[in-house]
Amino acid sequence: MEKHILALQLSHLLGEQFSREWVYDKIEIPKQPHLGDLAFPCFSLASFFKRNPKEIASQLAPQLKHDLFAKVQTAGGYINIFLNQAFVTEQTMKQVLTDPSSYGSHSFGTGKTVVLDMSAPNIAKPFSMGHLRSTVIGNALSNLAEKCGYTTVKINYIGDYGTQFGKLLAAYQHWGNEEKVRENPLKELTKIYVHFHQASKDDPSLIEEGREWFKKLEQQDEEALKLWKWFKAVSLEEFEKVYELLGIEFDLTRGEAYYNDKMDKTVKLLQEKQLLEESEGAQVVRLDKEGLPPCLIQKSNGTSIYATRDLTAAIDRYQTYEFEEALYVVGHEQSLHFEQVKHVLLKLDFDWADQLKHISFGMMLTDGKKMSTRQGKTILLEEVLNEAIQQAASNIEEKNPELQNKEEIAKQVGVGAVIFHDLKHDRRNDVEFSLEDMLTFEGNTAPYLQYAYVRGRSLLEKGEFHIETADASLKEEPAWPLVKWVRHYPETVFKANTNHDPSIIAKYLLELTKAFNKYYADTKILQNDQQNARLTLIYVFTVVLKDGLRLLGIEAPEHM
Ligand code: ARG
């Protein structure tokens, strides 16, 4: 609000050359309170006006006037603005109180659709930490987009097709055991798959067998199809357990295989546009001008591949949803693939291909090393979540054994911890996996935030706060930093959404909560003179914290 007002006034004063957006981006939030609430550095204006920054600042400052501004000062080449605390506090709290659940929302996305390609685990393989990253990042991005007014479609593009299923089918013929697969599908299927890889080193004929089985699958051979369907069903059942723990649902679960009989059309389109070329018996689209290696469309034996399926799926999705954006939440090792897919679509004159965005993320590491299925080093997500829940449960047992609903709360805390640990990092960075770090109350963790929420709620209970009798007219200095963080929420939502970066929300929630904890430590909230106004601020804080956690996919328990 005040940033927009300041930007507008300054850009008027500075003249056409300096747009409101340009000024807006330059406005800073000073770290130290004695430098005000907003600051505008005049250094980059010096060469244009041919005067030193200090002079420019002194000339501009007296001309900035608004009800929101209490004081405008200069310090060197900076203009420092102090906001009218009582006025801003009241305005902010009233905004939240009018419609708590929509505070921080925007409407610029209304009438537009965002499609998210997310989670996408591969059947007959464990749900890995990489798929967890895709799932929780995708879910948060979807919540953010909805908060900005968009309609969202979350698609789980299951990896249910490809030559690896030929290998799995071959492996099953040699080492498969129906009983064992039924008991523990993902573990058992992974085991025989890993075994296949090791055995094929000594016996290359196995590779050929795998190829044969894949061909059978492509030709809809009864036995191959039956096994494949079974593997798929048991895998989905296992994945569902994870989604249930995470509390995440999809609008559409549609795997790669769905596009098997729809790819001919795509290949035809490519042919018509004369984009296909033969290369060593395979069909490719050359992307020399784009500076990319050729995109493989069909293998020499006629089988289609990953890229062709993604091309087909993208065309299908655009026809169905006319999306404003299609986000592919997939690890950064697939960057090249998505670049290729986008450029092939552009070559087909699909302008909307520019709306495809690869939302890439780093790896989950253990002891600084990548986790990989083949070496059996992958940590199983379901085990991780259950372990986190168990640790949360034993924390509760130790600290608050009388707590009601213990099981439910342990789940909220344990799962929240795992999600937050992932989302607090810039998604592009690798994340080191550590249960201990996730669950501590001291660090920058979900339990730390959830605990602050619980404290806030219990204050409201003790003080018998009622929203009907809320009082927004709080006048006290120590409340100011907390008010300011509450006020930053709408802008933070906007930023996190435009940058497709949930860590902006996560970091914001940590700052918001730190401000609350400081206020709580420095002020006797439950004292008569301003008690109700103070409680109103506490209420406003709990509203924002809970909503921010919700955006990340984390629940806020009422007791802990
Ligand atoms: N199943 C793939 C994997 O685990 C990820 C699929 C990502 N989405 C896509 N449209 N290609 O590597």
Side-chain angles (χ1 to χ4, degrees):
M1 229 328 222
E2 48 277 9
K3 253 176 104 175
H4 286 288
I5 291 163
L6 180 60
L8 189 65
Q9 292 199 0
L10 276 169
S11 74
H12 272 307
L13 292 171
L14 292 170
E16 275 168 18
Q17 292 82 354
F18 301 93
S19 70
R20 197 169 59 150
E21 292 73 29
W22 183 86
V23 176
Y24 188 90
D25 284 338
K26 287 260 174 310
I27 297 174
E28 297 173 8
I29 310 282
K31 290 249 150 41
Q32 290 158 304
H34 75 273
L35 295 174
D37 301 306
L38 296 173
F40 181 76
C42 297
F43 306 97
S44 49
L45 301 172
S47 65
F48 184 83
F49 290 108
K50 301 202 171 51
R51 294 177 52 194
N52 75 47
K54 204 172 155 185
E55 272 171 33
I56 300 174
S58 317
Q59 211 201 344
L60 290 171
Q63 302 182 66
L64 297 169
K65 291 196 177 80
H66 195 274
D67 285 350
L68 287 173
F69 305 160
K71 203 163 58 173
V72 182
Q73 290 181 343
T74 63
Y78 280 95
I79 303 175
N80 294 328
I81 288 105
F82 295 77
L83 296 177
N84 186 335
Q85 298 187 1
F87 184 81
V88 171
T89 300
E90 183 155 358
Q91 196 192 51
T92 308
M93 297 224 269
K94 277 190 175 152
Q95 261 177 39
V96 182
L97 292 168
T98 331
D99 187 2
S101 66
S102 70
Y103 181 65
S105 300
H106 300 272
S107 56
F108 59 85
T110 310
K112 299 176 194 155
T113 301
V114 175
V115 170
L116 296 106
D117 182 302
M118 53 184 272
S119 197
N122 303 316
I123 63 168
K125 280 197 188 164
F127 196 114
S128 71
M129 291 301 281
H131 296 117
L132 166 77
R133 299 215 66 195
S134 172
T135 311
V136 302
I137 294 170
N139 186 53
L141 293 180
S142 166
N143 290 337
L144 276 165
E146 280 177 10
K147 184 101 185 157
C148 296
Y150 292 98
T151 301
T152 64
V153 186
K154 290 184 278 185
I155 302 179
N156 192 355
Y157 186 66
I158 303 277
D160 57 0
Y161 214 70
T163 47
Q164 74 272 25
F165 292 105
K167 292 179 194 163
L168 183 64
L169 290 171
Y172 188 77
Q173 305 305 318
H174 287 275
W175 307 287
N177 175 320
E178 190 176 331
E179 200 66 15
K180 281 189 180 163
V181 173
R182 275 195 201 293
E183 252 165 50
N184 203 336
L186 300 185
K187 227 177 197 149
E188 193 55 29
L189 292 173
T190 310
K191 199 171 105 190
I192 61 172
Y193 185 71
V194 170
H195 196 86
F196 181 91
H197 265 275
Q198 274 152 0
S200 62
K201 278 182 203 148
D202 300 327
D203 180 2
S205 76
L206 280 171
I207 302 285
E208 193 44 47
E209 266 182 52
R211 257 186 229 129
E212 288 299 316
W213 272 102
F214 185 62
K215 210 177 276 166
K216 281 192 192 178
L217 185 61
E218 291 239 287
Q219 289 159 354
Q220 315 252 330
D221 168 88
E222 203 181 317
E223 169 76 2
L225 212 56
K226 195 184 93 195
L227 282 174
W228 173 78
K229 278 189 181 154
W230 179 48
F231 294 161
K232 187 163 163 170
V234 291
S235 304
L236 283 174
E237 248 170 65
E238 292 288 291
F239 298 156
E240 204 42 57
K241 289 187 202 160
V242 174
Y243 298 135
E244 210 177 299
L245 280 174
L246 292 171
I248 290 177
E249 283 172 16
F250 298 91
D251 299 297
L252 185 64
T253 296
R254 176 172 283 175
E256 295 184 34
Y258 173 83
Y259 294 100
N260 275 346
D261 58 359
K262 299 172 180 59
M263 286 184 292
D264 286 350
K265 242 173 119 182
T266 311
V267 175
K268 232 199 220 133
L269 274 179
L270 291 165
Q271 272 161 351
E272 279 165 18
K273 289 253 173 198
Q274 299 184 321
L275 292 170
L276 285 185
E277 267 180 48
E278 199 179 304
S279 165
E280 294 169 36
Q283 296 290 315
V284 304
V285 175
R286 293 209 156 269
L287 296 168
D288 301 349
K289 275 196 216 114
E290 290 75 5
L292 298 170
C295 181
L296 191 56
I297 301 294
Q298 244 173 10
K299 288 191 189 167
S300 47
N301 62 3
T303 59
S304 61
I305 49 154
Y306 194 49
T308 322
R309 272 191 287 275
D310 254 327
L311 290 167
T312 312
I315 296 170
D316 177 46
R317 288 172 190 175
Y318 190 74
Q319 280 168 353
T320 315
Y321 304 110
E322 287 189 29
F323 51 72
E324 176 83 3
E325 269 187 336
L327 307 180
Y328 291 84
V329 190
V330 186
H332 62 37
E333 62 279 7
Q334 294 194 28
S335 292
L336 174 62
H337 165 74
F338 287 108
E339 278 291 295
Q340 290 176 315
V341 167
K342 180 191 249 180
H343 281 103
V344 172
L345 289 169
L346 287 173
K347 277 189 178 303
L348 283 168
D349 291 327
F350 291 129
D351 294 343
W352 49 261
D354 277 324
Q355 283 136 251
L356 259 54
K357 289 200 178 125
H358 177 205
I359 305 298
S360 69
F361 54 82
M363 281 181 294
M364 188 69 82
L365 308 175
T366 29
D367 304 322
K369 286 197 210 79
K370 186 192 163 161
M371 305 173 173
S372 137
T373 326
R374 267 197 219 156
Q375 289 138 35
K377 239 200 269 156
T378 314
I379 297 182
L380 297 191
L381 180 57
E382 205 192 326
E383 285 170 16
V384 168
L385 289 171
N386 284 324
E387 175 70 26
I389 294 169
Q390 237 161 47
Q391 286 196 22
S394 62
N395 270 346
I396 294 173
E397 218 45 68
E398 197 181 299
K399 291 188 179 130
N400 190 2
E402 305 299 310
L403 185 68
Q404 302 220 320
N405 253 341
K406 273 192 265 196
E407 250 174 61
E408 177 63 19
I409 292 167
K411 187 177 150 193
Q412 293 174 336
V413 174
V415 173
V418 175
I419 296 177
F420 192 79
H421 179 74
D422 191 306
L423 294 183
K424 75 176 174 183
H425 300 95
D426 183 316
R427 62 177 157 78
R428 284 157 291 226
N429 295 338
D430 292 341
V431 179
E432 178 71 33
F433 178 79
S434 158
L435 261 189
E436 236 170 277
D437 288 353
M438 291 175 191
L439 281 162
T440 158
F441 281 81
E442 279 86 46
N444 296 332
T445 62
Y448 168 77
L449 300 176
Q450 288 167 322
Y451 188 60
Y453 178 80
V454 167
R455 260 159 111 181
R457 294 294 297 175
S458 86
L459 269 175
L460 295 176
E461 211 171 294
K462 255 193 232 142
E464 292 176 21
F465 171 81
H466 297 291
I467 186 159
E468 297 79 17
T469 51
D471 173 8
S473 63
L474 181 64
K475 288 187 191 62
E476 64 177 4
E477 188 81 30
W480 184 235
L482 179 55
V483 171
K484 280 207 289 183
W485 279 109
V486 168
R487 199 167 168 82
H488 287 323
Y489 188 54
E491 194 192 339
T492 309
V493 169
F494 177 83
K495 241 208 253 153
N497 182 68
T498 18
N499 293 320
H500 302 305
D501 186 359
S503 77
I504 293 178
I505 295 288
K507 285 174 191 144
Y508 164 84
L509 292 179
L510 291 168
E511 293 303 329
L512 173 80
T513 299
K514 262 183 232 158
F516 161 76
N517 281 337
K518 179 143 180 27
Y519 180 56
Y520 180 85
D522 294 349
T523 319
K524 288 208 172 62
I525 312 273
L526 298 179
Q527 253 185 5
N528 288 329
D529 57 338
Q530 289 217 78
Q531 172 172 325
N532 198 24
R534 286 184 188 141
L535 284 173
T536 304
L537 177 58
I538 301 300
Y539 170 73
V540 161
F541 158 74
T542 58
V543 167
V544 176
L545 176 57
K546 184 174 182 168
D547 192 62
L549 286 169
R550 178 189 67 78
L551 289 179
L552 299 181
I554 299 170
E555 289 185 82
E558 294 294 316
H559 300 276
M560 238 167 114

